[in-house]
Amino acid sequence: MTRSLEESFEGSGKGNMEEELGGGGRSEEGACNNSHGRLTPYVILSCLLAATGGVLFGYDLGISGGVTSMEPFLKKFFPEVYTKMKEDLSISNYCKFDSQLLTTFTSSLYIAGLFASFLASSVTRVFGRRASMLAGGAAFLAGGALGGAATNIYMLILGRVLLGVGIGFTNQSVPVYLSEMAPPEHRGAINNGFEVCVGLGVLFANLINYATQKISSGWGWRLSLALAVVPATPLTLGAMFLPETPNSIIQRNGDIQHARKVLQRIRGIDNVDAELNDIIFVCNNVSKRDYKQIMQRKYRPQLVMAFLIPFFQQVTGINVVTFYVPLLFRTIGLGESASLMSTVVTGVVGTGSIIVAMVLVDRLGRRELFLIGGVQMLVSQVVIGAVMAAELGDHGGMSTGYTWIVLVVICVYVAGFGLSWGPLAWLVPSEIFPLEIRSTGQSIVVGVGFVFIFVIAQSFLSMLCHLKSGIFFFFGGWVLVMTLFTYFFMPETKNIHIEKMERVWREHWFWKKIVRDEE
């Protein structure tokens, strides 16, 4: 916005704004009781298309782990790793894949995504949510094409960087778009659609890896990388036709009539004045548009969540499992084909659990699912670590029975993540920020997430080599910490209007002390 909303209203008479809005003032209950409307087909279709941005992230998570376990890919780009895996009998099971170059291939995407997410904040705020999704889809298309055509490590990593730019833009804009479009009582389920698409992307990638690994000429990895253009195409084309959110319309240019028409269409009712009034009130009180604003004391709870939620999501260890589960299965004795098939199984379990979370999140609430999933993941990590410590030595494999136990418990762990920190780590941040800091806050969430994905992806193979089975106890300890944090410090946000979310902090036993001190 280049001027305040008061200036925008002067032409039509600022004093008539209350009459135009059908009442005036900011009703504490009106937006929650009178303006929800219904879940319209227009919203469903728009959000389904936008949520496909999650497929991009999921596809990369699944595809990168799979291709790094393919022998032709390793032989071409990482010959030292291939030699250690096939010929070096003296090296520990836990150290076969410890390569700085291999981890750079994986993690280069996430450092690119980190910088892209902060650029995306400005694009999302100034040009709208659709513009960020369009830019993200186009960058991902280019990255997929370059990766599939790579003839050397430089082309390969440049393709990863472009994929990272695409994911940085879509991860920043899509959750915000979904939360702003959804009615409050369905916001959890609709926003979880993003994580469902992440899960579907992982599953899609695992199936492709399993199929392309069987191509006898050894070029299957090219097909796996190049097919990244498939999920990026509908998002890139569809973003041109998606409606902009009413929140973004008013934030950018103060066009009340346009915002009203969009809001009436997405809610399926004519009387949207209460919700529109709330959006205008928030926009009208925006005083700054930079990262200094979110540092104010009144936004301290949101800022803490913006850092801790993505940090906790990464130290669950899920992305390590997703990146490296084919390598992990090869470590415990499965062959190339069997290890890739095992990732398909975990992908099916993960996607199914996210769908369950979508059904339950607006009924049980966010905190309940965080706690249930946390306990499930904690127990799973301890069991996996214990089995590997007892049964897998530095050399040789693991007996078939114990290998199946590890696979089953990994599935239990993945299901726990899919119920909790998978979808909810995207949902909760997207709904807790007031409009004036929403784009900035979501960029911090995505940026912090990328920082720790990068750190963990860059260090995991070395950690696995040094900590061995203890790495599962390391992540299990963090799961315990985040579950306790959720129990004591995370408020419930279900069924609360996105523009009235500040009340959850005013009513929380701890955060109310900080927020009220500011008042």
Side-chain angles (χ1 to χ4, degrees):
M1 290 165 55
T2 58
R3 55 180 183 158
S4 69
L5 285 176
E6 283 92 341
E7 295 174 34
S8 301
F9 296 140
E10 283 178 358
S12 58
K14 176 183 171 185
N16 294 329
M17 182 176 68
E18 294 182 0
E19 179 180 345
E20 179 183 0
L21 291 173
R26 188 174 184 240
S27 167
E28 280 296 314
E29 301 300 331
C32 286
N33 295 331
N34 300 327
S35 298
H36 290 188
R38 54 190 174 84
L39 190 58
T40 62
Y42 188 61
V43 166
I44 294 173
L45 290 174
S46 298
C47 290
L48 278 175
L49 184 55
T52 59
V55 178
L56 276 59
F57 191 29
Y59 187 85
D60 180 78
L61 289 174
I63 218 71
S64 57
V67 297
T68 53
S69 72
M70 293 183 186
E71 294 180 6
F73 178 81
L74 291 173
K75 187 183 296 186
K76 181 173 181 62
F77 294 107
F78 308 98
E80 291 182 3
V81 175
Y82 178 78
T83 300
K84 285 194 295 184
M85 181 181 72
K86 299 295 288 185
E87 300 175 11
D88 192 344
L89 301 179
S90 64
I91 195 167
S92 168
N93 279 323
Y94 295 98
C95 300
K96 288 182 178 180
F97 299 95
D98 184 15
S99 163
Q100 193 61 40
L101 187 60
L102 181 60
T103 54
T104 299
F105 162 72
T106 302
S107 58
S108 58
L109 180 146
Y110 303 104
I111 198 68
L114 167 64
F115 291 106
S117 66
F118 290 106
L119 175 60
S121 171
S122 298
V123 173
T124 301
R125 185 182 65 247
V126 176
F127 298 103
R129 286 56 167 148
R130 293 188 309 168
S132 279
M133 287 187 270
L134 179 60
F140 202 86
L141 277 170
L146 187 59
T151 57
N152 55 58
I153 191 66
Y154 303 105
M155 289 180 67
L156 195 67
I157 291 180
L158 179 58
R160 294 284 294 168
V161 168
L162 288 172
L163 293 175
V165 171
I167 291 174
F169 271 85
T170 54
N171 283 11
Q172 194 276 339
S173 55
V174 171
V176 171
Y177 182 89
L178 296 177
S179 286
E180 290 182 344
M181 289 287 285
E185 62 271 26
H186 299 293
R187 189 174 58 244
I190 287 178
N191 195 281
N192 278 9
F194 178 78
E195 185 65 19
V196 170
C197 286
V198 173
L200 289 173
V202 171
L203 179 57
F204 181 44
N206 290 338
L207 289 168
I208 287 174
N209 281 335
Y210 181 70
T212 59
Q213 172 266 330
K214 296 181 178 297
I215 296 175
S216 57
S217 55
W219 55 269
W221 62 267
R222 288 192 183 277
L223 187 58
S224 291
L225 295 177
L227 284 176
V229 303
V230 174
T233 300
L235 178 69
T236 307
L237 297 177
M240 300 177 186
F241 304 100
L242 284 173
E244 192 55 88
T245 69
N247 315 63
S248 178
I249 293 168
I250 293 179
Q251 184 183 35
R252 288 185 294 121
N253 54 38
D255 189 342
I256 293 179
Q257 293 307 317
H258 183 197
R260 184 195 298 276
K261 290 178 182 178
V262 173
L263 198 56
Q264 287 172 336
R265 187 172 185 187
I266 65 177
R267 297 292 179 254
I269 57 175
D270 292 329
N271 181 17
V272 294
D273 291 337
E275 184 173 356
L276 188 61
N277 193 4
D278 277 334
I279 297 171
I280 291 172
F281 178 89
V282 170
C283 284
N284 205 32
N285 285 275
V286 174
S287 58
K288 301 177 184 177
R289 298 179 188 86
D290 56 26
Y291 284 89
K292 293 180 181 177
Q293 185 175 15
I294 200 172
M295 300 301 292
Q296 296 176 19
R297 187 180 178 90
K298 65 180 179 179
Y299 301 128
R300 193 64 49 78
Q302 293 95 326
L303 182 61
V304 170
M305 295 296 172
F307 278 93
L308 287 185
I309 288 178
F311 167 71
F312 284 149
Q313 186 187 44
Q314 297 314 312
V315 293
T316 60
I318 186 62
N319 282 328
V320 211
V321 171
T322 308
F323 296 152
Y324 297 116
V325 74
L327 304 184
L328 181 62
F329 284 137
R330 297 208 70 173
T331 296
I332 63 177
L334 294 181
E336 181 179 6
S337 182
S339 67
L340 290 173
M341 188 66 234
S342 298
T343 65
V344 174
V345 174
T346 58
V348 170
V349 171
T351 304
S353 63
I354 297 167
I355 293 172
V356 172
M358 176 184 281
V359 174
L360 296 178
V361 67
D362 290 314
R363 299 178 185 179
L364 292 181
R366 285 64 162 150
R367 288 184 77 254
E368 289 289 329
L369 291 182
F370 268 128
L371 296 173
I372 292 170
V375 172
Q376 192 169 328
M377 286 189 292
L378 175 59
V379 173
S380 301
Q381 294 275 30
V382 171
V383 171
I384 295 170
V387 171
M388 292 187 69
E391 298 298 325
L392 182 64
D394 282 340
H395 304 286
M398 185 184 291
S399 68
T400 303
Y402 282 107
T403 301
W404 278 106
I405 289 174
V406 170
L407 176 59
V408 169
V409 179
I410 285 179
C411 287
V412 173
Y413 163 78
V414 169
F417 180 83
L419 281 175
S420 56
W421 285 93
L424 301 184
W426 295 107
L427 166 61
V428 173
S430 73
E431 64 186 1
I432 62 174
F433 297 114
L435 181 61
E436 64 267 27
I437 60 167
R438 189 168 298 148
S439 181
T440 300
Q442 186 65 19
S443 289
I444 292 174
V445 170
V446 175
V448 171
F450 276 131
V451 166
F452 287 101
I453 294 176
F454 172 79
V455 169
I456 292 174
Q458 191 70 18
S459 61
F460 172 72
L461 291 177
S462 179
M463 289 172 64
L464 180 63
C465 181
H466 290 88
L467 295 179
K468 301 183 180 180
S469 59
I471 196 168
F472 294 98
F473 298 111
F474 171 81
F475 288 120
W478 280 112
V479 172
L480 176 61
V481 170
M482 68 185 69
T483 303
L484 292 173
F485 174 84
T486 300
Y487 182 80
F488 288 108
F489 297 108
M490 189 172 290
E492 182 55 70
T493 56
K494 72 172 182 178
N495 295 334
I496 298 176
H497 195 285
I498 193 171
E499 302 301 351
K500 305 176 81 66
M501 195 64 69
E502 75 277 0
R503 81 185 199 195
V504 304
W505 313 110
R506 295 199 308 264
E507 297 170 358
H508 188 270
W509 73 272
F510 176 79
W511 298 116
K512 68 181 180 182
K513 303 172 187 176
I514 296 173
V515 175
R516 287 177 181 173
D517 285 348
E518 175 69 11
E519 297 173 352

